[in-house]
Amino acid sequence: MMKTSTQATIRRIFSAIVLMVVLSGSALAQKWTIYDGSTHPLENVLPKFTTSNLNNVDADGFSTWNTIIVDPDNQENNLLQFVDSYDGQRGMLRSNLPAGTTKLTFVTRIKAYDIENLDWTIDIDFDFGGFREQFFIMNDSTVRVRRGTDTTYDLPETFDLSAWNTFRFVFDTEADPKTVTVYLNEETTPFITAVPASAGSNNYFRFGNGDSNKNVGFQMDWAIWDVTGAYAPGEGIAIPDPVVTPSWNADLTEIKVNDVAIADFDAATTSYSITLPYGSPVPIVVASAADPNASVAVTPAADVPGEAQILVTAENGETTKTYTVAIEEAPHNWIMYDASTHPLQIVEPKFTTSNLNNVDADGFSTWNTIIVDPDNQENNLLQFVDSYDGQRGMLRSNLPAGTTKLTFVTRIKAYDIENLDWTIDIDFDFGGFREQFFIMNDSTVRVRRGTDTTYDLPETFDLSAWNTFRFVFDTETDPKTVTVYLNEETTPFITAVPASAGSNNYFRFGNGDSNKNVGFLMDWAIWDVTGAYAPGEGDIIPDPVVTPSWDATLTALNIDGNLIEGFDAATTDYEVVFTEEVTTLPVISATANDEKATLEITQIEAIPGTATVAVTAENGITVKTYNVVFRYVSTDATLSEIKVGDTAIENFAPETTEYSVLLPAGTTEVPTITAVATFEGADVVVTPAESLPGNTTIMVTAEDEETTKTYTVSLRAIATDATLATLLVNDAAVEGFDPATTTYNVELPAGTTDIPVVTANATDENAEVTITQATELPGSAVVSVVAEDETTTIEYTINFTVSTSAELISAVGFKLFPNPATSSITVEIDNAAFGAEIKIICISGREVMHTTLYNQSKKIDISELERGMYIMQVMNNGKQTQQLFIKK
C-alpha cells in the first residue's frame, strides 16, 4: 500500500518547485533518498536493500522478522515492523552509499515495539568515509555509541521510546576531528556529539539487530538520507510531509509516431522500428510515461532514415530508461528516369528504340539529346525534337511480364509549340490492353485506342510551361480503366476504357506518327507497377527525382585493412591461401564505388570458409556479390575417381587405396588408367603396369608437397585355366598325376571296404572345383573344374578297384594289438621268421612305414601317423599276409 494522496501530491509538487527555486545555480543540490515503508526493503527497487550480518538464520527466516503492516493510525500509510525475539540470532538490512561519501544526513521516524519484553529498539550501524559508528537504542532509555569512545547516553526523562520519535544522525568526515551528531525529534540542540572510530573503505549503513545476544523490535515509518552534506535540523531541505519514496518507474505506456501508436508496444521492450513511405519527412514522436511524475524527453530523428530517442527519468531522478525508435524509409516502388543520361545509354531502367520509320537508330538519336536545364544548371533535360515529315521513332521501356496495374508520371513541357504539331505521343501496351495518348499543341489530348476521343485541356493549362501528367491503369477492374491527372490534382482529367490488345508489356514515348512533328522537354518520368495510384496515394514522388545508380561495384576489397591481391572491380571471386594456421580469423571490409550502394558483408566463421560482400546498387535492383575463399594449403592427397579406360572403378572410396580390376579374357595390353584428385591443386602421377597381370600405381602429392598417398590397381585378364594343381585320394597324391591327364585308375588293397575320399585344388584359385565322390567299390569319383571365365570346363575321373591277388593269402600268421591303437602297435609272429619285412600302407595304397622283424614280437611307434585306417603287410620268403588296423 503506497503513501499517496491528492494533498501529498500537491505538497510534493510544491516542494519540488520551491526546491528548484532555492537550489537553482547550486553546484551540488541537496537531495533526499527516501524509504517510506510502503514496500518491503528487500523488494524495493530504489533505494536498494540487502541482508547483512546474518547469524544462525537464513535470509528466508530473517525476512519473517520484518514485515510491512498497515499503520493503525492511518489506513493509507504502511510501516516496516522489525521484531527479533529469538536469542542467538541476528540480522540487519543494508543499503550501500555512493563510493566517496564523506558527509551524511540520516533521519528516521521510529518507535519501539514491545519495549517491556525486548532488549533494544534498534541497532543502526554506519560505515563510510574511513570511519564507523554504531548506535544501540536500548529499551532502558539509553543510547550506546559504540565504535568511537564506547559511551552510553541517557535519553531525556520525557522521551518515550514507545511513541513515534525522529532520530537525525549527522556525519562529517571532512571535519577535524571527524564528527557524528545525533538530534532527537528535530530539536536544534544535539543530543549526542562524538568522534567515530577509524575504519576501512566500506560505504553503507544498516539497521536491525547486530547482536545475537539481544532481542530487538521497532516500527519504522520512514528513513531518509542525504549524501550531499551534514545538515542539522533546520539546515538543508526540509523533511517532506508526507515522506513518500519517489517512484522508480521509468516505463512508458505508449509511443506514437505521427499520432499513430506503435503496435504491440511493451514497456519492457525499449527498441522499436517503424517504416515510413519513401520521401516522408522526419516524423513527430510523442510518448506517455506510466508514472505521471516521471519526465519524458524526446530527441527526434535527424533525418529519415534515422533514430528517435525517448529518455524517461523516473520521479526519483535516478532511474532512467531510454527507448529508441528506428525510423526506416520504405524502398520506393518508383522506377525512375531523371534525364541525366540519354535513355539509350542508361543501364537501368533500360530503353530501346521502337517504331522507327524512314530513319535508322543513329538518325533517330539526333532528335533526342541531353541538354542542361536553363533554369537549373545542375539539372539535365531530355530534349526530343522531330521536325522531319515522313519520319517517326519512339523510346521504349519494357514492363515486367504479368503487369496488370501501372502508375506512370512524367514532367514535361512543349518545345516550339507554334511550329510543331504535337508535344508528345505516349503509348501503353500491357496486361491485355492498349492505350495511346497524343498531347497536341492545340491544347487537346487525344485518347486513341479505346473509344477514340479528344479532350480539351483546361483554359488555364499552358503546354509551354512545366506540367505533370499522371497516367493510372488498372486492368483488374471490370471494365479496365485508364485515368489521367493533371499537375497532381485529385480530380481526374480523363477517365476512359482502353482497347483490348495482345500480350505486349511496354510503354513508349516520342513520335508514333510519320505525318506529325513532335517536340518536348522531359525533366523526368517515373513509373510503379505495384498499383494504380491516384495523386496522394502510393509512394510520394521524390523531390528531386534522381535515377538511382545501378553501380554495384566495389572500389576496394580489403583483408584486415589491406587491399586484396589482384583486386579488380570486375572480378568477383578471390582465393586466399594460408600456409600456417592462423589464431585470428581474417576480417574483410569493402568500399562501394557508389556511396549510395549498400553492402552486406558475411564474415567467415572458420577456415576453410567463404566470406561474401553483396553490393546492392542504389536502385535496389542491381546486385553484385564478391566472394573470398579462405583456406589452408591443402594436405588432401586423395583421389575422387579412378578410370580404367573410360570406365570408372565401381565402389571407389578416396580412403581405399587397393583395387583389383578384371579385364576381358584374352586381354594382353595394359589399359590406360586415369585419376582425378579430390583437390584440384594436388599432383597426380600414374605409373602403368609393365604387363598383364600387373599393378598400375597412382601417386598423389598434396598441395603442401609433403603429404602423399599411393593407390594400386591390380590388373589381370579373366582366366580360362580349368586344370587341377593337385589330386588327392585320402589326402595322398594320386600316383602319376598330371594336370593334362584327366583319367586315373587306383587299385585299393585287398579287403578294402571303405570308399576313399577325393580332394583336389585348381591351378587357378579363381576356378570353381566340384567333386562327386564314388558311392561304391569298385566305383568312380569325378572332379569338375570350371574356369574363371565360367565357360572353360575340364573333368577328371578316378576309377577305384580292390585288389584280389592270391599273394594275399595268409602265408605268415601274425596278430596285432591293440587295435584300434593310439601311439604304438605290437606285432607277434606265430612261427619265428627272422628277417620278415613289415609295411604299413594307407588306405589309398601309399606306403607310410617300413621295418624288418628280427624277433617274434615288435612294438612299432605309430604316433606320427594321421588318424584313419591302415593296412599292415608282413612279407617272408616271397609270401605276404596283411591285416587292417585303425589309428585313433
Side-chain angles (χ1 to χ4, degrees):
M1 191 176 196
M2 297 293 294
K3 299 184 183 188
T4 58
S5 67
T6 302
Q7 184 179 12
T9 301
I10 293 172
R11 288 177 180 173
R12 184 167 55 213
I13 295 172
F14 178 75
S15 298
I17 293 172
V18 172
L19 181 61
M20 285 190 288
V21 173
V22 171
L23 296 179
S24 60
S26 174
L28 183 63
Q30 184 186 1
K31 179 181 179 182
W32 289 117
T33 302
I34 301 175
Y35 169 66
D36 68 358
S38 61
T39 307
H40 192 285
L42 298 180
E43 297 173 351
N44 214 47
V45 176
L46 280 177
K48 181 67 178 174
F49 286 88
T50 58
T51 59
S52 177
N53 214 25
L54 293 184
N55 187 46
N56 292 328
V57 62
D58 59 19
D60 291 338
F62 168 72
S63 66
T64 61
W65 304 350
N66 37 93
T67 57
I68 300 300
I69 65 170
V70 176
D71 185 349
D73 300 324
N74 179 2
Q75 296 295 304
E76 294 185 358
N77 187 38
N78 284 349
L79 306 173
L80 168 65
Q81 180 171 287
F82 187 107
V83 182
D84 162 23
S85 57
Y86 307 99
D87 291 338
Q89 296 176 334
R90 66 176 179 177
M92 305 186 83
L93 291 160
R94 166 176 169 162
S95 185
N96 290 332
L97 299 170
T101 298
T102 59
K103 297 176 184 285
L104 176 67
T105 303
F106 180 92
V107 188
T108 183
R109 183 172 186 259
I110 60 174
K111 68 177 177 179
Y113 179 88
D114 197 7
I115 196 169
E116 296 178 356
N117 298 311
L118 301 177
D119 303 311
W120 292 350
T121 297
I122 195 171
D123 171 2
I124 308 181
D125 184 11
F126 300 90
D127 192 345
F128 69 95
F131 79 88
R132 184 180 181 191
E133 193 53 87
Q134 192 170 15
F135 298 88
F136 303 124
I137 300 176
M138 298 180 284
N139 288 348
D140 62 358
S141 294
T142 61
V143 176
R144 179 184 172 192
V145 183
R146 175 185 178 191
R147 294 292 171 179
T149 302
D150 193 338
T151 306
T152 300
Y153 297 84
D154 292 328
L155 287 165
E157 291 183 2
T158 58
F159 197 90
D160 183 3
L161 273 173
S162 62
W164 286 109
N165 294 285
T166 300
F167 290 82
R168 179 185 287 249
F169 301 87
V170 178
F171 300 86
D172 190 342
T173 69
E174 294 181 0
D176 188 14
K178 300 174 181 179
T179 61
V180 54
T181 310
V182 182
Y183 299 87
L184 301 179
N185 292 321
E186 293 300 273
E187 294 180 1
T188 57
T189 301
F191 167 56
I192 297 170
T193 300
V195 176
S198 296
S201 58
N202 289 315
N203 286 282
Y204 69 78
F205 69 83
R206 57 187 180 180
F207 55 79
N209 181 9
D211 190 331
S212 57
N213 295 316
K214 301 296 183 180
N215 297 326
V216 171
F218 64 87
Q219 290 178 340
M220 178 180 285
D221 188 11
W222 46 259
I224 61 176
W225 56 98
D226 181 357
V227 298
T228 67
Y231 300 113
E235 297 177 353
I237 298 176
I239 297 172
D241 183 19
V243 173
V244 179
T245 302
S247 171
W248 55 81
N249 188 346
D251 288 341
L252 291 178
T253 58
E254 184 180 61
I255 300 175
K256 285 185 175 182
V257 179
N258 286 342
D259 208 32
V260 177
I262 289 179
D264 300 323
F265 175 81
D266 187 319
T269 302
T270 58
S271 295
Y272 296 90
S273 177
I274 65 163
T275 302
L276 300 178
Y278 182 84
S280 295
V282 174
I284 297 173
V285 177
V286 296
S288 300
D291 179 9
N293 296 308
S295 64
V296 178
V298 178
T299 302
D303 201 352
V304 177
E307 182 181 86
Q309 290 192 344
I310 306 164
L311 175 64
V312 188
T313 304
E315 182 191 15
N316 61 15
E318 295 182 16
T319 307
T320 62
K321 183 179 282 191
T322 300
Y323 293 80
T324 61
V325 181
I327 312 296
E328 305 292 343
E329 184 177 46
H332 63 73
N333 294 313
W334 292 118
I335 299 172
M336 298 191 285
Y337 169 64
D338 67 357
S340 61
T341 307
H342 192 284
L344 298 180
Q345 295 174 333
I346 204 167
V347 174
E348 191 70 42
K350 181 67 176 174
F351 283 88
T352 58
T353 60
S354 177
N355 213 23
L356 291 183
N357 185 46
N358 295 324
V359 63
D360 59 18
D362 289 338
F364 167 72
S365 66
T366 61
W367 305 350
N368 39 91
T369 58
I370 299 300
I371 66 170
V372 175
D373 184 350
D375 300 323
N376 179 1
Q377 295 296 304
E378 295 183 357
N379 187 40
N380 285 347
L381 305 173
L382 170 64
Q383 179 176 284
F384 189 106
V385 181
D386 161 24
S387 57
Y388 306 100
D389 290 337
Q391 296 177 334
R392 66 176 179 177
M394 305 187 83
L395 291 161
R396 166 175 168 162
S397 185
N398 290 333
L399 298 171
T403 299
T404 60
K405 296 175 184 285
L406 175 67
T407 303
F408 180 93
V409 189
T410 184
R411 184 173 186 258
I412 61 174
K413 70 176 178 178
Y415 180 87
D416 195 6
I417 195 168
E418 295 179 356
N419 298 310
L420 301 176
D421 302 311
W422 292 350
T423 298
I424 194 170
D425 170 2
I426 307 180
D427 184 12
F428 300 90
D429 191 347
F430 69 94
F433 80 89
R434 185 180 181 191
E435 193 53 89
Q436 191 169 14
F437 299 87
F438 303 124
I439 301 175
M440 296 180 286
N441 289 349
D442 62 359
S443 294
T444 62
V445 176
R446 178 185 174 192
V447 182
R448 174 186 179 191
R449 294 292 171 178
T451 301
D452 195 334
T453 306
T454 299
Y455 297 83
D456 291 327
L457 287 165
E459 291 184 3
T460 57
F461 197 89
D462 184 2
L463 274 173
S464 62
W466 285 111
N467 293 285
T468 300
F469 289 83
R470 179 183 287 249
F471 302 87
V472 178
F473 300 87
D474 191 339
T475 70
E476 294 182 0
T477 60
D478 187 14
K480 300 173 181 179
T481 60
V482 55
T483 310
V484 182
Y485 299 86
L486 301 179
N487 293 322
E488 294 299 275
E489 293 181 1
T490 56
T491 302
F493 166 57
I494 297 170
T495 299
V497 176
S500 296
S503 58
N504 289 314
N505 287 282
Y506 69 79
F507 69 83
R508 57 188 181 179
F509 56 80
N511 180 10
D513 191 331
S514 57
N515 295 315
K516 300 295 182 180
N517 297 327
V518 172
F520 63 87
L521 295 176
M522 178 178 285
D523 189 9
W524 47 259
I526 61 177
W527 55 100
D528 182 352
V529 298
T530 67
Y533 301 115
E537 298 176 351
D539 291 336
I540 300 168
I541 296 176
D543 184 16
V545 171
V546 179
T547 304
S549 171
W550 57 82
D551 187 351
T553 62
L554 293 177
T555 57
L557 179 59
N558 304 315
I559 302 175
D560 294 331
N562 299 313
L563 188 68
I564 195 168
E565 185 177 352
F567 173 76
D568 187 299
T571 302
T572 57
D573 293 308
Y574 299 87
E575 184 178 62
V576 178
V577 180
F578 295 99
T579 56
E580 298 180 356
E581 185 174 358
V582 299
T583 56
T584 303
L585 292 176
V587 176
I588 65 171
S589 57
T591 304
N593 189 46
D594 177 15
E595 64 180 9
K596 293 183 179 179
T598 58
L599 302 181
E600 183 177 351
I601 300 177
T602 302
Q603 305 288 352
I604 60 171
E605 297 181 354
I607 296 176
T610 300
T612 60
V613 181
V615 188
T616 302
E618 181 192 12
N619 63 14
I621 299 172
T622 311
V623 178
K624 195 181 199 79
T625 300
Y626 293 79
N627 303 296
V628 184
V629 175
F630 293 92
R631 66 176 180 84
Y632 292 112
V633 171
S634 175
T635 59
D636 190 345
T638 63
L639 293 176
S640 62
E641 182 183 65
I642 299 175
K643 281 186 175 181
V644 180
D646 294 329
T647 304
I649 290 179
E650 292 185 2
N651 301 319
F652 175 81
E655 298 303 324
T656 303
T657 57
E658 301 288 337
Y659 295 92
S660 294
V661 175
L662 288 177
L663 304 173
T667 302
T668 58
E669 292 186 4
V670 176
T672 299
I673 291 183
T674 57
V676 178
T678 303
F679 178 73
E680 65 179 10
D683 183 53
V684 179
V685 177
V686 179
T687 302
E690 295 182 357
S691 61
L692 293 178
N695 294 332
T696 291
T697 60
I698 305 167
M699 178 77 165
V700 187
T701 303
E703 186 186 25
D704 66 358
E705 299 182 353
E706 294 182 3
T707 308
T708 62
K709 188 181 285 286
T710 300
Y711 293 79
T712 301
V713 182
S714 297
L715 300 167
R716 65 179 181 84
I718 294 176
T720 59
D721 187 351
T723 63
L724 288 178
T726 62
L727 181 61
L728 307 175
V729 175
N730 287 340
D731 295 330
V734 173
E735 290 184 13
F737 172 74
D738 185 323
T741 302
T742 58
T743 302
Y744 297 88
N745 297 312
V746 176
E747 184 180 48
L748 302 174
T752 301
T753 58
D754 290 337
I755 297 172
V757 177
V758 175
T759 56
N761 293 305
T763 303
D764 178 12
E765 64 180 5
N766 296 302
E768 183 179 354
V769 178
T770 303
I771 301 175
T772 304
Q773 303 288 349
T775 58
E776 60 183 358
L777 293 177
S780 298
V782 178
V783 180
S784 179
V785 186
V786 180
E788 187 182 21
D789 66 359
E790 299 182 352
T791 300
T792 306
T793 303
I794 297 177
E795 286 190 350
Y796 294 81
T797 303
I798 305 95
N799 300 312
F800 294 105
T801 59
V802 179
S803 175
T804 58
S805 174
E807 295 292 331
L808 294 179
I809 298 174
S810 295
V812 179
F814 73 94
K815 61 182 178 180
L816 305 175
F817 60 88
N819 189 6
T822 301
S823 58
S824 64
I825 191 168
T826 301
V827 182
E828 287 187 354
I829 302 175
D830 293 339
N831 300 312
F834 298 115
E837 292 184 45
I838 298 177
K839 292 182 181 181
I840 297 178
I841 301 168
C842 69
I843 197 66
S844 66
R846 181 170 59 87
E847 182 181 300
V848 296
M849 190 176 292
H850 190 155
T851 187
T852 303
L853 185 64
Y854 293 103
N855 297 299
Q856 280 188 308
S857 174
K858 184 168 184 175
K859 188 174 185 181
I860 301 173
D861 184 2
I862 61 172
S863 61
E864 297 298 324
L865 296 180
E866 297 291 333
R867 295 175 61 184
M869 183 178 291
Y870 293 87
I871 299 172
M872 181 174 284
Q873 290 182 349
V874 178
M875 299 183 65
N876 187 35
N877 295 326
K879 296 183 179 180
Q880 69 178 20
T881 186
Q882 58 190 22
Q883 291 188 40
L884 294 174
F885 71 89
I886 296 173
K887 163 68 189 307
K888 293 195 299 183

